[in-house]
Amino acid sequence: MTTIAVLGNGRVGGNLAAALTRAGHEVTVADRTPGAAADAARHARIVINATPGAGSLQRLAALREELHDKILVDVSNATVDGPDGLPADLLHPGSSLAEQLQEALPGTHVVKTLNTMLFPVMTAPATLAQPPTAFLSGEDPLAKQTVRELLTDLGWHNEWITDLGGIQTARATEAAILFVPHVIRSSGFTPFAISITR
């Protein structure tokens, strides 16, 4: 059992919190109540960033002390939304939200994952017709191994998880969000994920 704080109580955060609780972890969900995120982060070993990506950097940078020496699992994508509310561009071109978080939180082990799929797939990958891929980006091998174990608790087979390397590789997975509006307009909100097939 691991103590986990989920920052963000929307569809993504709620879905992850429920699944991790079912897997036997001690999970706290922090809403936008003043101080809730700091309190949750302070008492957790792993913190999951499921806040809207456009405001994540500012919110989490303010928790530098609480996040020190913690694993921060970043599942968000920082985008500029179009008129229809779907992602139209990246907020950090030439970089990534994960890199910005790691720079702002040097004492925190940032791991990027689960950001290349619609949220239902995060906790039910086996429901897709073909195996999806979950990517890991981060500087700390032990932190990535811990996150890999969390993913297996969520139903991810080890062979479906690909470690891309350092945090800079998150640029590639975050850019994949630009597929999403086109796929949704073409096929609707049917769950899907980016998959590497060999």
Side-chain angles (χ1 to χ4, degrees):
M1 183 187 75
T2 302
T3 52
I4 300 171
V6 178
L7 308 185
N9 62 348
R11 292 181 300 179
V12 174
N15 187 41
L16 286 169
L20 289 166
T21 299
R22 286 194 300 271
H25 298 287
E26 183 182 325
V27 182
T28 300
V29 179
D31 57 21
R32 294 189 180 219
T33 306
D39 190 52
R42 188 178 297 112
H43 295 99
R45 178 181 173 224
I46 297 173
V47 178
I48 298 176
N49 174 38
T51 65
S56 289
L57 182 58
Q58 182 179 358
R59 285 191 194 98
L60 294 172
L63 302 176
R64 185 168 176 167
E65 182 180 330
E66 290 83 359
L67 291 171
H68 183 75
D69 210 29
K70 305 290 176 72
I71 296 173
L72 176 63
V73 183
D74 179 34
V75 303
S76 294
N77 287 301
T79 59
V80 178
D81 291 341
D84 58 0
L86 295 175
D89 208 348
L90 300 175
L91 193 61
H92 303 291
S95 183
S96 63
L97 173 59
E99 288 174 89
Q100 297 294 314
L101 287 170
Q102 187 62 84
E103 184 177 345
L105 301 164
T108 303
H109 310 295
V110 179
V111 179
K112 189 80 180 193
T113 194
L114 295 181
N115 63 309
T116 55
M117 61 201 70
L118 291 191
F119 80 92
V121 181
M122 295 178 177
T123 58
T127 58
L128 297 185
Q130 299 168 340
T133 303
F135 300 99
L136 298 172
S137 300
E139 298 300 322
D140 187 276
L142 291 177
K144 286 192 286 187
Q145 179 58 35
T146 299
V147 174
R148 180 184 287 270
E149 291 165 7
L150 270 191
L151 293 181
T152 62
D153 286 346
L154 293 174
W156 288 86
H157 295 194
N158 193 53
E159 62 270 23
W160 299 352
I161 304 169
T162 298
D163 185 344
L164 295 179
I167 200 69
Q168 189 175 6
T169 63
R171 295 182 190 185
T173 61
E174 289 191 24
I177 190 66
L178 299 180
F179 276 105
V180 170
H182 307 298
V183 174
I184 288 174
R185 292 184 191 114
S186 170
S187 309
F189 278 91
T190 305
F192 70 89
I194 303 296
S195 180
I196 302 298
T197 57
R198 294 183 174 89

